[in-house]
């Protein structure tokens, strides 16, 4: 499939102001649709992210037999098939750019005795799937994959799935979730042991539908134990605003003195808020107002004001709670006073792009002083001075939405502006990003 590139320029901008509603959480949106498929009956989803990644999940769930429709009020309804009731897909399932969609769906397929073929775009076809096919194979599914366990792959799910106790070699909520979703079809207890806790949306949402999922912190890590073959009762999901998307307008406001931006209802799950904790350590003026619970998740209205930041060391242990936020943290660090060191970044190399390399290329193109290690990044900040930006060149987005958004934010705080070569992928996670930022006063224009 060819894809026409959509370049965009961020021009130097004075200050941002206003209130912006960030779209729904990507992780919760994928899970709402997939759990809606697995629960018999009707699931109503409000606040669903209508980005390309989630629409790929919706299409795949339809191919597996779910009815899925968007109502005139913007709420979505899923008519589920119930555990064990999936239809065999008549065609290849195309998961687009989304690792979450591909890996979680493989968990569901592994527990159902069906044949399915999965593929994705050029970025997803480069990403490792062995991390899920290996444990799911132990549960009884069969896979035929391209070299290196990559997509396209074919799966034949287990006729009778086996429960598994599995220690994750890397901290990954996607792998944990895939195993738990397969475990729904297995008798007895399926246990995932995490080296470090990762986002727990799957556990929260499964419990909400009536499954028994127990998490215990032990000396060797967090044990997440699911009791198989539950009755899943369809119940409505309310998706909160995505903290990973809110990070872009939030950091833009921090970097532009005089800014004041309000971001209502942003998810503040403790396993997702590592960036915000880091920014506060850096001296950021962020107020977490009106804290409350929505859709089974803690949320707050963020009030962000521009002001100086200072460099910090971000420990490796924090990486799982901010794994998607390093590109925008690197941009914030580029304007801080002193040095910001980020450790434990190996997983960034297998995201939508090799994100560490893509961040490094972008920082170099914009005149930032940094050191890239195999799993670390050290950024020497400008102390609040505007950075050069790109000049007659563009930041390469490498099919990665977060690289595009992070460097557009840098451009707003630069002297000459920044052009990114392709903003098409922003729609995977943050449809309406450009309009939302323009509404706050950001100067974004076609290059
Ligand atoms: C996600 C988990 C993370 C994250 C991704 C969404 C999820 O991936 O990067 O954007 O919804 O479970 P890993 O689990 O592979 O780290």
């Amino acid at each position: 499939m060819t894809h026409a590139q959509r370049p965009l320029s961020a021009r130097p901008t004075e200050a941002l102001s206003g209130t912006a509603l960030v779209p729904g959480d990507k992780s919760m949106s994928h899970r709402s649709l997939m759990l809606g498929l697995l629960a018999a009956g009707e699931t109503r989803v409000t606040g669903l992210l209508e980005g390309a990644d989630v629409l790929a999940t919706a299409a795949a769930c339809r191919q597996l037999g779910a009815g899925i429709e968007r109502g005139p009020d913007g709420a979505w309804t899923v008519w589920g098939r119930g555990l064990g009731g999936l239809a065999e897909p008549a065609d290849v399932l195309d998961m687009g750019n989304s690792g979450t969609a591909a890996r979680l769906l493989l968990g569901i397929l592994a527990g159902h005795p069906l044949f399915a073929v999965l593929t994705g775009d050029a970025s997803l076809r480069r990403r490792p799937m062995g991390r899920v096919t290996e444990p799911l194979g132990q549960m009884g599914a069969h896979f035929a994959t391209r070299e290196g366990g990559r997509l396209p792959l074919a799966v034949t799910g287990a006729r009778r799935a086996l429960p598994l106790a599995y220690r994750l070699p890397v901290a990954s909520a996607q792998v944990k979730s895939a195993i738990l979703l397969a475990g729904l079809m297995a008798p007895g207890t399926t246990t995932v042991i995490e080296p470090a806790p990762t986002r727990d949306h799957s556990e929260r949402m499964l419990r909400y539908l009536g499954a028994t999922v127990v998490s215990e912190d032990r000396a060797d890590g967090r044990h997440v134990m699911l009791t198989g073959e539950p009755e899943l009762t369809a119940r409505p999901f309310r998706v909160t605003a995505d903290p990973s998307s809110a990070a872009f307008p939030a950091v833009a406001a921090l970097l532009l003195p005089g800014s004041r931006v309000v971001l209502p209802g942003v998810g503040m799950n403790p396993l997702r808020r590592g960036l915000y904790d880091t920014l506060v350590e850096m001296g950021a003026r962020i107020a977490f107002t009106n804290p409350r619970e929505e859709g089974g998740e803690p949320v707050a209205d963020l009030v962000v004001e521009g002001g100086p930041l200072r460099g910090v060391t971000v420990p490796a242990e924090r990486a799982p709670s901010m794994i998607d936020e390093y590109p925008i943290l690197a941009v914030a660090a580029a304007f801080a006073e002193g040095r910001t060191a980020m450790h434990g970044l190996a997983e960034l190399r297998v995201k939508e792009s090799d994100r560490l390399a893509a961040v490094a290329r972008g920082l170099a193109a914009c005149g930032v002083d940094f050191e890239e290690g195999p799993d670390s990044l050290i950024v020497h900040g400008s102390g609040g001075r505007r950075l050069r930006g790109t000049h007659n060149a563009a930041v390469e987005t490498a099919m990665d939405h977060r690289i595009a958004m992070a460097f557009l934010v840098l451009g707003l705080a630069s002297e000459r502006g920044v052009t990114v070569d392709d903003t098409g992928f922003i729609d995977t996670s943050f449809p309406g990003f450009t309009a939302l930022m323009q509404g706050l006063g950001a100067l974004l224009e076609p290059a």
Side-chain angles (χ1 to χ4, degrees):
M1 198 173 29
T2 53
H3 160 87
Q5 292 210 329
R6 282 198 266 148
L8 192 74
S9 292
R11 312 300 320 159
T13 296
E14 283 304 318
L16 301 184
S17 68
T19 297
L21 280 176
V22 168
D25 190 86
K26 184 156 72 73
S27 294
M28 292 174 73
S29 294
H30 285 299
R31 287 160 173 80
S32 302
L33 297 176
M34 292 188 195
L35 292 176
L37 164 71
L38 294 180
E42 193 176 308
T43 297
R44 189 178 147 85
V45 186
T46 47
L48 187 85
L49 168 64
E50 295 177 353
D53 277 11
V54 175
L55 299 180
T57 289
C61 290
R62 284 193 190 103
Q63 285 175 270
L64 292 166
I68 301 186
E69 271 174 28
R70 183 188 197 276
D73 59 351
W76 289 67
T77 304
V78 184
W79 289 273
R81 299 285 298 206
L83 265 185
L86 305 194
E88 184 163 85
D91 202 350
V92 172
L93 304 171
D94 185 348
M95 310 321 296
N97 190 249
S98 177
T100 309
R103 297 199 179 104
L104 270 59
L105 202 70
L106 282 172
I108 292 176
L109 291 166
H112 286 78
L114 307 170
F115 174 79
V117 179
L118 260 73
T119 192
D121 70 10
S123 155
L124 187 57
R125 280 183 273 118
R126 280 193 290 269
R127 297 180 65 186
M129 293 293 146
R131 51 178 61 195
V132 287
T133 58
E134 208 270 322
L136 297 174
Q138 292 184 35
M139 299 177 84
H142 293 281
F143 297 93
T145 74
R146 274 172 72 220
E147 183 272 321
R150 291 177 161 75
L151 299 180
L153 67 70
V155 52
T156 306
R159 193 148 290 288
R160 188 88 185 100
L162 302 167
L164 179 69
Y166 190 77
R167 175 179 301 280
L168 297 182
V170 288
S172 165
Q174 293 180 1
V175 180
K176 168 177 66 177
S177 301
I179 297 169
L180 295 176
L181 289 167
L184 290 171
M185 289 293 290
T189 305
T190 289
T191 304
V192 180
I193 305 162
E194 303 190 90
T198 64
R199 67 189 68 193
D200 60 355
H201 306 296
S202 299
E203 297 91 306
R204 286 173 184 253
M205 293 169 84
L206 282 165
R207 275 188 210 114
Y208 171 72
L209 298 188
T212 302
V213 188
V214 178
S215 293
E216 270 178 31
D217 289 325
R218 300 194 191 158
D220 63 342
R222 176 167 289 188
H223 290 231
V224 181
M225 293 162 283
L226 167 99
T227 306
E229 304 182 302
E231 281 291 321
L232 292 184
T233 308
R235 288 180 70 187
F237 287 118
R238 176 167 180 189
V239 178
T240 58
D242 195 324
S244 299
S245 297
F248 299 102
V251 169
L254 288 173
L255 297 183
L256 300 173
S259 295
R260 186 176 189 281
V261 164
V262 180
L263 305 166
V266 177
M268 286 285 118
N269 182 309
L271 296 166
R272 294 288 300 281
R273 54 170 292 158
L275 172 77
Y276 296 94
D277 296 336
T278 303
L279 291 171
V280 167
E281 278 178 26
M282 295 172 83
R285 290 157 65 184
I286 308 181
F288 302 89
T289 64
N290 195 13
R292 59 200 183 274
E293 188 149 307
E294 269 178 17
E297 296 276 349
V299 301
D301 302 333
L302 308 193
V303 183
V304 188
E305 292 181 14
L309 300 174
R310 55 181 175 271
V312 294
T313 294
V314 189
E317 303 82 76
R318 202 178 292 164
S321 69
M322 53 180 296
I323 194 66
D324 292 334
E325 278 63 79
Y326 286 99
I328 191 63
L329 176 62
V331 167
F335 293 90
E337 179 76 50
R339 166 186 189 273
T340 297
M342 302 164 228
H343 299 289
L345 307 188
E347 274 296 295
L348 294 194
R349 300 217 179 263
V350 292
K351 292 292 176 191
E352 285 83 332
S353 63
D354 174 343
R355 250 183 206 160
L356 195 40
V359 167
R361 280 197 304 272
L363 292 175
C366 295
V368 180
D369 183 12
F370 67 93
E371 294 147 56
E372 177 193 357
D375 67 347
S376 65
L377 180 67
I378 295 171
V379 177
H380 301 278
S382 72
R385 228 178 357 91
R386 283 190 171 255
L387 287 160
R388 186 192 70 207
T390 54
H391 188 56
N392 297 331
V395 169
E396 273 175 62
T397 56
M399 304 183 77
D400 190 327
H401 51 131
R402 299 198 202 279
I403 297 297
M405 290 186 279
F407 283 97
L408 288 169
V409 168
L410 191 153
L412 302 176
S414 70
E415 273 173 0
R416 299 182 187 167
V418 164
T419 298
V420 302
D421 68 356
D422 190 10
T423 53
F425 286 90
I426 291 176
D427 286 348
T428 62
S429 71
F430 199 154
F433 167 80
T434 304
L436 180 143
M437 295 296 291
Q438 287 168 333
L440 295 172
L443 301 176
L444 297 177
E445 56 198 43

